[in-house]
Amino acid sequence: MTVELAPPPPGRSAAADRAETRRRRVPYLLLAPGLVWLFIFYVIPLFQLLRMALTTGNLQAGYVFDWVWENFTQVFTTYQPQLLRSLVFALATTMITLLIAYPLAYAIAFRGGRYQSLFLLLLLMPLLFPFLMRTLAWRIILADQGVVVQTLQNIGLLPSNGRLLATGWAVVAGLVYNFLPFMALPIYVSLEKIDNRLIEAANDLYSTPFTAFRKVTLPLSMPGVISGSLLTMIPAAGDYVNVELLGNPQQAMMGNVVQNKFLNIIDYPAAAAISFTLMVAIVILVLVYVRSVGTEDLVA
Amino acid sequence: MDTRTDIPAVELDGVTKEFADFTAVYELNLAIGENTFFALLGPSGCGKTTTLRMIGGFEDPTTGVIRLHGEDVTGQKPYQRPVNTVFQSYALFPHLTIFENVAFGLRRRGVEDAEVKRRVNEMLELVQLTPFIKRKPKQLSGGQQQRVALARALVNHPRVLLLDEPLGALDLKLRKEMQIELKRIQQEVGITFIHVTHDQEEAMTMADVIAVMHQGRIERMGEPTEIYEDPRTAFVAGFLGASNMMSVTVVDRGSGAVALNGGTRLHIDPSKLDGGDGTVRVGVRPEKLRIYPIDEVSLPPNVLQGTVTDASFIGVSTHYLVEADHIGEIAVVAQNLDDHHHRPGDPVKVGWLPQHCFVVA
């Protein structure tokens, strides 16, 4: 920058200073409502949740804050299977949903032609029906006398007395079904944005269609894959409805434990500790996933 | 051009491209010689980009054959052809660095790492982008992106380079610089460039051979001076620079004497009258005309009389509009060689030589 030779006239400088201060304040003023909202409805409850997790007592006698770490330790002892199952089911759901949703989104984006909007509408249509209804419908689809089970038994993939309902498969199937639109939509959006000339350029530079997909289309659609995965993985890890309707207590996930503690046993401290642990576990899972998929090379 | 090699670098033989509702290219025959800077020039929708895309393999011709150095490549995919393309608006890979963008083609062909590094660096030096090697395309200016696109194609040593309006997105000054730069690079690497453009000045600055396309056909093909001086069709005359057109009646085919509507005699090169019927359309370029005071006596064979309606001083030249008897307004570009500045309203004479007239179909 240039050297300042003389101080600016004092009157103007003060006005300019005030304008400058005001300008600097604007972003914070604009952020303020959101920050207040977040503080009241997120930070404070989160703090209360953590505090509750460290208390002891019951609803009748009242709760006493006493640094009770046992609530946390039991998550890793008593509820370790449920915690692991939550993470495994969430990961499996994400992977299977991704495998189904990517080709689906690809087909709509590149082969949909003038029917693109219609296909998108069809994709979103199930969301117009209540979540519970849709999940209950899967009980009929996967029923012991249903078409799916019969077919699998006939071709020998399932023993003659085997069943799908009340197994982990049914739970994951339900989760996959319920989260498919949330995976497919972001992927569709990122694929749809890709300029066809980039694919042509890759073909021009000696890429077969498959190499062009691997080196250009796939990397450019990663933002969609990541947001879709997060929209699937996070709610799937905390889900309890699918186990409730399609599984049995043997497939209980963390969500079921929390639900039980909160609503049936009314053990708030344990429920809070489990919720908090589950939250941390999901954050770690997400970080590992995003890292392994790799975002550094991506453009927004 | 035939003298350079027997086998043309690119040959189109009766190529037609039909889309669902129109024919983009009609029965095109074209041979482009080795080491030629070839320009496909025409207005939008004339079929020039479709022609380029068929050479690149992005479109298949409905009928006809495309040969590269004598080899039939019709139906081959883009990645199977020894041809590379500089795309309109560049189509650089946004997720890759400049280095990886340029290395893309080499890597796909399995060139080993050290060789990739050497060739990419060499190419980036040629287009003066070495400092930007680690950046992403979005971080470069339009002109720099353009040079990356060029480097990405040229690094593969294609036998033919296709350029689809490569300078269209650049501002005027940069475009002029890149025109000279492209021509220099073409001469340096010595391969055939096929350049699609709608800018006649750009085509004339760079190309050895220009083909002017109109409605799916090539209307005129030749060296820039040749097709400028003798455009042969009204479309080419109008598309390549300005011209004054007039209808004349042939009076004596042997001497090239023709007459305007009002009876004024003009003379044109008799060889250009071949096949000309009773009435023909002739044209003359504004810069071939000279403007004289009304009382001037030493005049060329073709003279019209008129009144100046507009005079604009450009610096290197003055542009006049003269309302001439029987033909209406004609444009004259006069070099500022003498002190004769004619003002609107001045009666003047406009004269030119017979050989500067061309006849259009």
Side-chain angles (χ1 to χ4, degrees), chain B residues 235 281 299 345:
Chain B
F235 174 78
R281 287 190 51 82
L299 291 161

Side-chain angles (χ1 to χ4, degrees), chain B residues 17-25 45 47 50:
Chain B
K17 177 66 186 178
E18 286 167 7
F19 289 105
D21 45 352
F22 73 109
T23 303
V25 176
T50 307

Side-chain angles (χ1 to χ4, degrees), chain A residues 24-48:
Chain A
R24 244 183 257 156
R25 229 181 265 153
V26 166
Y28 296 104
L29 287 173
L30 289 173
L31 275 174
L35 287 175
V36 169
W37 174 276
L38 270 179
F39 187 75
I40 294 175
F41 293 106
Y42 186 76
V43 178
I44 294 177
L46 196 66
F47 178 75
Q48 279 184 336

Side-chain angles (χ1 to χ4, degrees), chain B residues 313 318 320 336 338-343 346:
Chain B
F313 178 74
T318 303
Y320 292 104
N336 293 322
D338 43 34
D339 305 331
H340 286 302
H341 289 298
H342 307 278
R343 291 175 205 294
D346 287 356

Side-chain angles (χ1 to χ4, degrees), chain A residues 195-209 211-212 214-217 219-220 296-300, chain B residues 53 56 58 78-79 81-85 87-89 91-95 101 104-105 108-109 136 152-153 156 158:
Chain A
D195 185 348
N196 189 46
R197 270 175 305 204
L198 293 178
I199 320 278
E200 284 191 347
N203 286 334
D204 185 63
L205 296 163
Y206 316 107
S207 301
T208 58
T211 315
R214 212 163 42 89
K215 291 291 174 184
V216 178
T217 311
L220 288 177
E296 315 90 58
D297 289 344
L298 298 177
V299 284
Chain B
R53 289 174 59 82
F58 303 109
Y79 52 88
R81 300 187 185 200
V83 163
N84 289 111
T85 308
F87 289 84
Q88 196 172 10
S89 72
L92 299 177
F93 303 121
H95 57 300
N101 261 282
F104 197 90
R108 297 294 82 75
R109 285 195 301 175
K136 294 278 178 70
R152 186 178 68 171
N156 303 294

Side-chain angles (χ1 to χ4, degrees), chain B residues 89-112:
Chain B
S89 72
Y90 325 133
L92 299 177
F93 303 121
H95 57 300
L96 300 178
T97 60
I98 299 311
F99 182 92
E100 284 304 327
N101 261 282
V102 177
F104 197 90
L106 297 175
R107 293 214 193 279
R108 297 294 82 75
R109 285 195 301 175
V111 176
E112 64 172 284

Side-chain angles (χ1 to χ4, degrees), chain B residues 10 12 25 28-30 32 37-43 46-55 162-165 193-200 202-203 207 209-214 217-221 239:
Chain B
V10 178
L12 274 69
V25 176
L28 199 68
N29 293 304
L30 181 62
I32 302 169
F37 201 124
F38 185 90
L40 270 172
L41 176 66
C46 73
K48 57 189 194 300
T49 297
T50 307
T51 305
L52 192 82
R53 289 174 59 82
M54 285 193 288
I55 299 171
L162 309 177
L163 302 110
D164 185 6
E165 304 253 6
F193 277 33
I194 303 180
H195 178 187
V196 158
T197 180
H198 62 265
D199 182 336
Q200 47 109 0
E202 188 175 299
V209 181
I210 297 177
V212 181
M213 282 191 81
H214 183 44
R217 291 176 171 86
I218 290 182
E219 287 233 356
R220 184 86 169 90
M221 187 166 117
F239 198 76

